[in-house]
Each structure stands twice: as structure tokens, then as C-alpha cells.
Amino acid sequence: MSRTGEFSTVLNWEASTRNRLAAAIDRFSGPLADLVERDANEGDTRMLVTDFLSYGLNFSKYEEMTTEYRNSGDSIDYALKLDGELFAPIEVKRCGQDLDARNIQQARRVAADEGAEWIILTNGRVWQVYHLRTDGEDGSTATVRILDVDLMDESENAHDRNVDALFHITHEAIEHGRLEELRKWHEAVEPAPLAEVLLSEPVVAAIRSRLRERTGHAGHIGDLDEVHRALADEVIARGVAPSEASPSDGA
């Protein structure tokens, strides 16, 4: 079966995917606004979600989406399946309902039981993507929100930001590893890995060099261990942030 996202060369897949996604967001903006205005029920919201998953994100309605998916203990609205395996449970709420992590408890159990790492929560307007992370040696899991997109956001450049974000959960981007790359980036900028980078030798040396420039002590080498201790004990451990009144370094 021909897929809307199949393209002739590897080089143009990203641009073509983004263009299709942008067109789908525009296409469904009117119907979405109508649903929100009349506070449509969950069933009507699901119809829009199904079409957006198909036309915007490029998943096959008949081969990769299963409605009312059940396992031994729980039922979820949709299952997104890739290569025959559960990729992400999807929970759909009515368009006027606010979303929060409590809405994904059943989906989380299904994902954990079947080895899926991703969960999607949406009310048609807001799309949230969670990663199910295994923490520690005891095998406990935690859900980390990776994406949070509001298709009715009217702020400046919101449309482009939404395309950039939702691009990661298109069929093509998942196949090319872009969602996994986004997950790794989110983990990399968490406090613990950031602290590790800040305390690495090249970064400490660069900070020492910058401090020498700012203090005018070009002749004073400065002690790397002193900078390291200050970063670890005074900045990172205490969570010190630069003062709003601190001078700009002109970068």
C-alpha cells in the first residue's frame, strides 16, 4: 500500500514531512475550532484525532491504529502499532477537557506491561507525548513529558513551533530516529547530566579562562581545583542562578 509519506529520495524526506504536517495543521484548524466552540464530546474528538494521526502524522488507519485496545487488565482509546508491536498507547479526552498526567495511568500500565516506551495524550487541541523511563535497579518506571503542543496557540511563531515539535512523532521521524534523539536531548539537559558537564575538565578550564578575562588578572593562572569546588559547592549544590542585575558578558 502506498503511504502518503513515501518519497523518492532520502534527502527530501524531512522537508516533505514538515510540509505535509504544516498543511494538516492548517487543514484541521477550522474543524478543531468548531469542536472547541461547541465543547464536543469525546467521540467527536476522536474522529478528528484519527484523521490527524493519519493525514498529519502519516499512520495507517487500517494497519497501525487499533481502537479500544485491551490487554489483560486495561483498555485504552487507541494503540499505535509499528511492525506489529505496540509503539504507543493513545488516550483521547474531549476537546474541552484539561490534560494532566493522571489521564495516562491506564496507558502507562499498558505500556509497561507490553514493553512500549511512549504514551500520547490528546484532546485534539493539545498533544502531549510522554516517555516511560525505567529508573534504578528495581525496575520502577517514571513518565517524563517530552512534548506539549497546543494547536490553537496564537502567539508569535506558534505554528512553526508546533510543526517543529509534532514533526518528532510523524511516522517518518520515528523511523529515522528523531524521536529517540529528542528523548536523549531531554535527558541530557536534566540537572544531573548538566552538572556532570559543568564539572568536566574542558568546561572548568574555559570558565577559568573567562574569569581571568573578566577580572583583568591575565598574569594570574588561576586554580582549576578552586573553580571546580566553587561550581560544585556554591553554584550547583545551592542552585545559584545569575542575578538579573549582573552585567552582561557581551556574548
Side-chain angles (χ1 to χ4, degrees):
M1 181 184 68
S2 178
R3 175 183 294 282
T4 58
E6 287 181 347
F7 308 112
S8 57
T9 70
V10 175
L11 297 178
N12 69 356
W13 77 266
E14 183 172 343
S16 299
T17 300
R18 288 179 182 275
N19 289 339
R20 187 197 66 239
L21 178 57
I25 291 175
D26 291 338
R27 172 181 177 179
F28 290 109
S29 61
L32 176 59
D34 291 340
L35 289 176
V36 172
E37 183 177 0
R38 61 183 173 88
D39 193 18
N41 61 32
E42 191 171 298
D44 289 348
T45 304
R46 286 187 189 185
M47 289 192 289
L48 182 139
V49 167
T50 299
D51 284 343
F52 189 76
L53 286 167
S54 177
Y55 294 107
L57 303 182
N58 200 28
F59 294 101
S60 170
K61 291 181 183 181
Y62 309 107
E63 296 179 2
E64 294 169 333
M65 285 186 277
T66 301
T67 60
E68 299 298 336
Y69 185 84
R70 295 179 181 273
N71 68 359
S72 58
D74 292 287
S75 173
I76 52 175
D77 295 322
Y78 290 89
L80 198 59
K81 304 182 78 172
L82 296 179
D83 298 323
E85 301 292 332
L86 178 66
F87 176 77
I90 303 176
E91 284 287 357
V92 180
K93 301 302 179 183
R94 64 178 179 82
C95 60
Q97 180 174 336
D98 292 335
L99 304 179
D100 62 52
R102 291 174 296 182
N103 300 137
I104 63 170
Q105 294 310 308
Q106 286 181 293
R108 176 177 172 170
R109 289 193 294 269
V110 171
D113 287 346
E114 302 200 19
E117 293 187 25
W118 298 98
I119 299 167
I120 299 174
L121 172 64
T122 184
N123 59 8
R125 169 180 179 167
V126 175
W127 290 73
Q128 296 179 348
V129 179
Y130 293 81
H131 179 247
L132 187 63
R133 179 190 301 177
T134 301
D135 287 334
E137 297 179 356
D138 61 354
S140 60
T141 58
T143 47
V144 181
R145 192 165 65 193
I146 302 295
L147 291 175
D148 192 349
V149 175
D150 184 348
L151 293 180
M152 296 184 70
D153 182 358
E154 296 181 351
S155 63
E156 186 177 4
N157 297 322
H159 186 277
D160 290 342
R161 291 196 305 271
N162 288 344
V163 171
D164 288 342
L166 289 175
F167 164 79
H168 294 89
I169 57 170
T170 61
H171 197 288
E172 297 89 343
I174 291 170
E175 286 184 329
H176 284 81
R178 296 297 181 83
L179 182 59
E180 181 66 10
E181 291 172 3
L182 182 65
R183 177 194 66 78
K184 290 178 179 179
W185 172 255
H186 273 261
E187 291 184 1
V189 296
E190 290 177 355
L194 271 180
E196 184 178 347
V197 171
L198 282 173
L199 295 175
S200 65
E201 184 175 344
V203 174
V204 172
I207 291 174
R208 178 187 65 173
S209 177
R210 184 67 174 130
L211 289 174
R212 289 174 60 196
E213 293 176 7
R214 293 186 66 175
T215 58
H217 291 167
H220 179 64
I221 295 176
D223 183 32
L224 283 174
D225 288 340
E226 183 180 8
V227 176
H228 189 282
R229 283 194 301 272
L231 281 171
D233 299 339
E234 303 298 330
V235 177
I236 294 173
R238 298 188 182 186
V240 176
S243 168
E244 291 183 359
S246 62
S248 169
D249 55 4

